[in-house]
Amino acid sequence: MVRMPAKRVAPMTEKSVADIDWVPFLAQSFHPSPVAWEDQVVYFLLPDRFSSNDERDYLNNNGNYVHQGSTAKFNPATDKDSLGGPKDEKTWRDAGGKYVGGTLKGITSKIGYLKRLGVTAIWVGPIFKQVAYQETYHGYGVQDFLDVEKHFGTREELRTLVDTAHSHDIYVILDIIINHSGNVFAYKANGNLSYTGQEYEVKGYRDKDGNPTVPYGEVDLNHFPHAYPDGAVWPSELQQSTGFTRKGSIQNWDKDPEYLEGDFFDFKDINIGPGPTEGFRPTSSLKALCQAYKFWIAYADIDGFRIDAVRHMGDGPTRYFASVIHEFAASIGKENYLLVGEVTGGRLRAINTVETTGIDAALGIDDVQDKLENLVKGFRNPHEYFDLFRNSLEASRSSHTWFRNKVVTMIDDHDQVRNGPNKARFCATNQGATYVIAAVALNLCTLGIPCIYYGTEQNLDGSGGSDQYIREALFGGSFGAFRSRNKHCFLETTATYVEVAKIAAIRRNTMALRRGRQYLREISGDGINFGVPIKIGDSRMQAVVAWSRIFADEEVLCAVNTDYSAYREAWVTVDAELQEARETLECVYSTEEGEIGKEVKVERRNGRAVFLKVAPGGFVIYK
């Protein structure tokens, strides 16, 4: 059910949440939530880095070839590493720290590309208006929480994007920030002030040029008309003198209350309220942000939020926000509105945060991403990844239930906190391009809500000493992928795109792969001695790693080969009870297409077992 065009409300920008006229928004019909978010395949993109809407030679949303446009498609034979020497390389690197031209219109024009890949939900990086004097292309430096950043487009273009996605059965999750704003004011003291626990005096709100010419506190536009739209902070409810904590930047990221009260680098910490969960009292700033984000749900028909920096918010503010948003969403028919929190600091913290605050799922759990990536590449024992989803003394949760829909899993992301200064996409290291299909398959076919980071389906291989190197422009522009310029990568014939689409289609039609219980399977070389594959010493593990997903009476068997240079064979255990009457299992997917449709015999070994042969760096599914 998509919002009726006749009921659209003329776009305007409110300066205060008190100015929002809710009546016409709430009179609209809204797109319902999915029954289960674990059924979805999420795709994460940054608006500035995905599409400019200027590409040609790609398939549009209806599958028709687009001939017009200024940006030709990427040719790996001639365009990869095509920069012309050190000066040109510096220009390319410098471009990566600035806006490069991605837009909401561009995203809208590629909904068909995502649909054909098998994506059913897109997570869109922050689209809110940024501070005017800085190049916060990533979207996390918000200056106005009620408007869209002009580099990306307009409010109405956001609604068009959402409507187009919904018409293609794709949900839209918006990336939001509650913990902090952009660098909207200057402290009176010069230099970078560090957190000491004390409040610092503020010199003033910054204007469009970054100068603190607007007095700190509620802004009087009659005396300071230049404060809007590009100065101070908006909505106006955030302008109260107590609206920010004003305690300088965090130095010790693990010290309480410093990591809760301090500024996030030069982003300014919003005073959303201290204190424990029980008895928490929200500040006026938190209440205003709740109203602002309710507005975006109603205005654009958003289906979920990814909440940035949840660890730095604290449990009290997070639980209050989750309660307000869930209740509002339910009141307009979105009964399963998704709230995903970025919760750094390990699995135990993530579990406790989700269950204490009422958000629906956690993202950014370092050991999940690390173990997923390195299992496929042979640098981790398989049980280290699969044990994350089983009984755990640390997690204190039962098998197969909590992690099924409480964790968003992915191999690549936009900041890779776990890697410190050594940023690298999956395909950038250790034969990643050979393994990438198997890695995405492992992501899609194990527990959790799977998420694909933009460009993974095209083998993007950015790496370097800062986040920008893993945020290449998929559409080309001045910071194109593969060290190129002005060549787009919306290619639907590349091997990774084609195979991921096939695997996603099988997942979509197989309940066990979406919701089933999960078991790492024992293997054997001789059919007699069985055990889970293990890494020996410092050498790379080269073996078949197999697991089953079981739902009701259906078992689906999946396997990857961690050897990128040779076929690997193994006897693989299957469920003895479910397969007792079965004589064979059929291959429904293989990275080696000729194997599809072939059967393997179920034999009485270690209960029941089948003999699998998996191509180098390959992946198979048997049913």
Side-chain angles (χ1 to χ4, degrees):
M1 177 165 53
V2 179
R3 185 175 51 253
M4 298 300 294
K7 295 182 179 180
R8 284 196 179 279
V9 182
M12 62 167 287
T13 303
E14 297 81 2
K15 299 180 182 69
S16 163
V17 294
D19 295 336
I20 298 172
D21 181 2
W22 292 98
V23 174
F25 295 128
L26 299 182
Q28 303 171 117
S29 57
F30 293 93
H31 196 70
S33 303
V35 173
W37 281 99
E38 65 267 34
D39 288 349
Q40 311 309 314
V41 174
V42 182
Y43 186 97
F44 171 37
L45 60 88
L46 295 174
D48 185 60
R49 300 299 160 98
F50 185 66
S51 170
S52 65
N53 196 36
D54 293 323
E55 305 88 354
R56 68 170 186 265
D57 304 326
Y58 74 96
L59 299 179
N60 67 13
N61 293 346
N62 296 321
N64 299 320
Y65 206 67
V66 176
H67 297 283
Q68 295 179 332
S70 59
T71 305
K73 64 182 177 181
F74 180 85
N75 182 340
T78 58
D79 297 326
K80 186 174 182 178
D81 297 310
S82 59
L83 301 174
K87 185 177 180 180
D88 201 24
E89 291 170 3
K90 183 180 184 303
T91 301
W92 178 84
R93 287 195 302 271
D94 290 346
K98 303 174 182 178
Y99 291 102
V100 295
T103 65
L104 296 172
K105 281 186 177 180
I107 301 170
T108 303
S109 71
K110 304 304 182 299
I111 291 297
Y113 168 88
L114 298 174
K115 173 76 172 181
R116 292 184 290 271
L117 180 62
V119 170
T120 61
I122 54 173
W123 155 18
V124 180
I127 51 81
F128 311 107
K129 187 176 182 300
Q130 303 292 289
V131 290
Y133 70 96
Q134 288 181 320
E135 297 269 356
T136 52
Y137 67 88
H138 42 68
Y140 293 97
V142 182
Q143 179 256 342
D144 188 342
F145 290 85
L146 288 177
D147 202 6
V148 169
E149 169 55 42
K150 63 183 178 181
H151 285 90
F152 305 149
T154 66
R155 280 181 170 188
E156 191 65 16
E157 287 166 357
L158 174 64
R159 295 213 296 188
T160 299
L161 164 59
V162 176
D163 281 349
T164 304
H166 286 167
S167 70
H168 287 77
D169 299 317
I170 293 176
Y171 300 98
V172 179
I173 301 163
L174 204 58
D175 204 324
I176 67 167
I177 306 97
I178 301 168
N179 179 70
H180 54 264
S181 72
N183 190 357
V184 296
F185 65 77
Y187 289 110
K188 184 169 289 188
N190 293 325
N192 181 29
L193 299 183
S194 299
Y195 180 92
T196 63
Q198 70 178 40
E199 292 182 2
Y200 292 104
E201 289 188 69
V202 174
K203 189 173 184 179
Y205 283 120
R206 299 186 187 275
D207 58 26
K208 65 181 179 61
D209 298 314
N211 300 314
T213 62
V214 181
Y216 185 71
E218 189 170 349
V219 175
D220 184 348
L221 288 176
N222 291 320
H223 291 87
F224 300 95
H226 68 291
Y228 188 84
D230 295 325
V233 63
W234 304 90
S236 60
E237 286 84 355
L238 299 179
Q239 296 167 2
Q240 297 182 36
S241 60
T242 57
F244 292 83
T245 56
R246 313 180 309 284
K247 292 188 176 183
S249 61
I250 300 170
Q251 303 301 306
N252 187 335
W253 293 84
D254 295 314
K255 186 177 180 181
D256 186 357
E258 181 172 349
Y259 72 84
L260 295 170
E261 298 178 343
D263 294 339
F264 208 92
F265 301 106
D266 69 347
F267 295 155
K268 296 304 188 281
D269 187 71
I270 298 174
N271 180 16
I272 54 177
T277 305
E278 299 301 325
F280 172 78
R281 298 180 66 85
T283 64
S284 59
S285 291
L286 180 57
K287 290 179 179 179
L289 289 172
C290 287
Q291 291 296 99
Y293 289 124
K294 284 166 57 178
F295 164 78
W296 288 111
I297 298 172
Y299 179 87
D301 203 3
I302 301 297
D303 302 296
F305 289 147
R306 179 266 189 187
I307 310 170
D308 187 57
V310 164
R311 178 178 178 236
H312 299 275
M313 291 171 55
D315 287 349
T318 304
R319 188 166 83 164
Y320 179 84
F321 180 81
S323 177
V324 169
I325 296 301
H326 278 143
E327 289 180 9
F328 176 74
S331 75
I332 60 173
K334 293 178 180 286
E335 298 285 354
N336 193 18
Y337 195 86
L338 183 68
L339 294 179
V340 178
E342 181 198 28
V343 188
T344 56
R347 186 162 36 113
L348 181 58
R349 178 185 290 275
I351 291 169
N352 290 337
T353 298
V354 169
E355 297 211 341
T356 300
T357 65
I359 61 174
D360 301 293
L363 175 136
I365 304 176
D366 47 9
D367 54 358
V368 173
Q369 280 184 275
D370 176 77
K371 290 176 173 62
L372 193 159
E373 173 177 348
N374 286 298
L375 183 164
V376 175
K377 292 181 176 179
F379 296 118
R380 289 278 192 180
N381 283 312
H383 75 82
E384 294 180 42
Y385 174 69
F386 284 92
D387 281 356
L388 296 174
F389 304 96
R390 296 179 63 248
N391 292 339
S392 168
L393 291 176
E394 179 181 292
S396 300
R397 298 295 179 270
S398 60
S399 176
H400 318 301
T401 55
W402 198 90
F403 283 94
R404 188 191 74 227
N405 61 357
K406 300 296 185 183
V407 177
V408 175
T409 58
M410 56 200 303
I411 55 173
D412 278 331
D413 66 57
H414 65 312
D415 54 23
Q416 293 188 356
V417 173
R418 63 192 172 92
N419 287 339
N422 303 311
K423 312 296 184 181
R425 282 182 178 259
F426 182 89
C427 286
T429 62
N430 300 306
Q431 291 78 38
T434 304
Y435 288 113
V436 67
I437 296 171
V440 176
L442 179 66
N443 193 181
L444 292 176
C445 297
T446 52
L447 285 166
I449 303 170
C451 181
I452 299 170
Y453 182 47
Y454 82 96
T456 302
E457 76 281 5
Q458 299 294 346
N459 293 16
L460 264 59
D461 63 352
S463 66
S466 69
D467 295 338
Q468 71 180 56
Y469 294 105
I470 53 174
R471 300 172 179 176
E472 313 98 299
L474 195 62
F475 65 90
S478 56
F479 191 63
F482 304 107
R483 283 82 45 207
S484 70
R485 189 178 285 116
N486 299 322
K487 296 294 175 69
H488 76 81
C489 294
F490 294 102
L491 314 174
E492 299 189 26
T493 57
T494 57
T496 303
Y497 182 98
V498 170
E499 297 307 312
V500 169
K502 292 177 183 177
I503 297 165
I506 294 171
R507 181 185 191 273
R508 185 167 57 250
N509 294 314
T510 308
M511 183 75 80
L513 289 179
R514 305 193 313 272
R515 304 191 197 179
R517 306 185 307 277
Q518 177 172 288
Y519 302 93
L520 175 64
R521 289 308 190 187
E522 293 185 341
I523 65 170
S524 173
D526 59 11
I528 299 172
N529 301 294
F530 282 80
V532 296
I534 59 172
K535 182 176 174 290
I536 300 175
D538 295 329
S539 61
R540 193 174 200 159
M541 184 187 69
Q542 298 174 319
V544 171
V545 177
W547 67 97
S548 290
R549 299 293 303 274
I550 296 176
F551 189 83
D553 294 328
E554 180 183 32
E555 177 177 17
V556 179
L557 180 65
C558 304
V560 297
N561 177 4
T562 67
D563 188 342
Y564 67 89
S565 61
Y567 286 86
R568 289 285 168 170
E569 301 174 338
W571 289 97
V572 177
T573 305
V574 292
D575 189 279
E577 183 176 344
L578 290 177
Q579 305 304 336
E580 183 176 9
R582 293 283 297 272
E583 295 184 355
T584 61
L585 293 180
E586 180 184 353
C587 179
V588 297
Y589 175 82
S590 173
T591 44
E592 193 163 76
E593 191 171 3
E595 295 299 307
I596 298 174
K598 294 183 179 180
E599 296 182 336
V600 291
K601 186 178 180 181
V602 178
E603 299 192 16
R604 292 180 178 272
R605 299 171 185 267
N606 199 35
R608 294 290 189 277
V610 296
F611 189 72
L612 299 186
K613 181 179 181 180
V614 187
F619 172 70
V620 296
I621 303 174
Y622 282 82
K623 292 174 66 176

